[in-house]
Amino acid sequence: MKKIFNLVFRNLLTMIFDFLFPNRCLDCNQLIDKRKIVCELCQDKVNFSNHNYFGNNSLMDKAALQIPVENAYSLLYYEKESLAQRIIHQLKYNHREKIGKVLAKWITERIDFSNSKPDLLVTVPLHYKKLKQRGYNQLHLFGNELSKHYNIPVSHTLLKRIKHSRAQAKKNQNERLKTKNAYQLTQNINDKHILLIDDVYTTGNTMSNIAWEILNNSKNVKISILVMAMDV
């Protein structure tokens, strides 16, 4: 009886919330289905990268300058004042965690791992102070959705952030380069192909720092990267 009451109560709260705060397109502000983030017309304005995960692309070229990388993929191109920037900022700073679910769906429509897929998905961690402040890691729901679709295990704890810093968006170029030794591997992991997942690829310093932490403390490990957006 208690379970039924709780379910009815949650559904009622959801209905009230949807009525008071209807879901609107992040670009044109028109009412849209609660499972979407932009309307069909505005989705055409989203600057998708159209990368080939298994081939050469602009992210692969950047990443390969810093780390030995097997594959690299960015869903979006991230530019100032763009719709892609608005989507990422809503996800990270405006408590819109469910945007990660939509971005994961867009990924699964574009990448097919049926012939060759990684062994483990690993999300970039937040420092515990930032996690407490934000209330969630914007990559967790995103990573979980990818894990379910592709049937690949995901770890949110393989890496630990041991240095606290300001948000990347608030840093200048020099500050973004000062994240050396900010991450720590919580356990050795060998003989795996790891797909590292982050939100925005800017200088590549975060990915490089994490990748070398894994490579230097593991054996026979391959690294690929996947990000929601890359700075251009």
Side-chain angles (χ1 to χ4, degrees):
M1 188 70 181
K2 186 178 179 180
K3 289 183 178 179
I4 295 175
F5 174 80
N6 288 337
L7 179 61
V8 172
F9 183 68
R10 285 199 300 269
N11 289 338
L12 181 60
L13 284 180
T14 299
M15 290 173 62
I16 293 173
F17 185 86
D18 289 344
F19 177 76
L20 295 175
F21 306 100
N23 192 36
R24 295 183 178 275
C25 173
L26 292 180
D27 193 52
C28 70
N29 207 40
Q30 78 170 28
L31 291 173
I32 56 174
D33 187 287
K34 63 182 180 181
R35 295 166 295 183
K36 297 183 177 181
I37 57 176
V38 291
C39 67
E40 290 185 9
L41 289 176
C42 291
Q43 186 167 326
D44 290 336
K45 301 179 185 178
V46 179
N47 195 3
F48 291 102
S49 71
N50 297 316
H51 282 171
N52 177 6
Y53 173 81
F54 294 102
N56 293 326
N57 56 61
S58 54
L59 179 58
M60 183 72 173
D61 293 340
K62 282 187 175 184
L65 295 174
Q66 297 175 297
I67 57 175
V69 61
E70 299 294 314
N71 309 102
Y73 183 91
S74 173
L75 176 65
L76 311 173
Y77 284 128
Y78 186 90
E79 299 173 285
K80 288 184 178 180
E81 310 302 326
S82 68
L83 181 51
Q85 184 190 56
R86 202 170 310 135
I87 289 170
I88 300 297
H89 279 203
Q90 286 290 316
L91 169 65
K92 293 178 68 173
Y93 308 120
N94 205 30
H95 307 287
R96 298 285 300 274
E97 185 181 7
K98 289 186 178 180
I99 287 176
K101 192 170 185 177
V102 177
L103 296 180
K105 183 177 183 296
W106 287 351
I107 289 281
T108 61
E109 292 170 348
R110 290 163 171 80
I111 300 180
D112 181 2
F113 284 130
S114 58
N115 294 324
S116 175
K117 66 181 181 180
D119 301 304
L120 179 66
L121 309 179
V122 176
T123 54
V124 172
L126 294 176
H127 190 273
Y128 75 92
K129 290 182 179 179
K130 189 172 291 184
L131 182 60
K132 184 177 180 181
Q133 179 185 22
R134 187 174 297 172
Y136 62 96
N137 183 319
Q138 69 276 8
L139 299 174
H140 284 186
L141 181 59
F142 177 72
N144 291 344
E145 289 297 310
L146 294 178
S147 175
K148 284 191 293 186
H149 178 85
Y150 292 118
N151 193 27
I152 302 172
V154 60
S155 173
H156 304 307
T157 59
L158 182 67
L159 295 157
K160 181 180 180 180
R161 175 105 193 194
I162 57 176
K163 286 185 180 179
H164 182 55
S165 64
R166 294 190 300 162
Q168 284 285 97
K170 297 179 180 179
K171 296 179 183 177
N172 60 37
Q173 186 77 1
N174 289 331
E175 288 176 316
R176 290 179 180 181
L177 294 172
K178 295 178 181 178
T179 57
K180 189 175 181 180
N181 301 322
Y183 300 92
Q184 185 177 73
L185 197 63
T186 61
Q187 64 184 72
N188 291 339
I189 185 161
N190 303 319
D191 305 308
K192 298 289 186 183
H193 181 182
I194 296 173
L195 180 61
L196 295 177
I197 297 174
D198 203 1
D199 47 27
V200 181
Y201 189 102
T202 49
T203 64
N205 195 56
T206 295
M207 280 295 189
S208 176
N209 192 353
I210 287 173
W212 284 114
E213 173 68 15
I214 294 172
L215 291 168
N216 289 334
N217 294 282
S218 308
K219 296 179 181 178
N220 194 31
V221 168
K222 296 179 180 178
I223 299 290
S224 291
I225 63 176
L226 184 150
V227 295
M228 297 173 177
M230 66 175 291
D231 206 2
V232 293

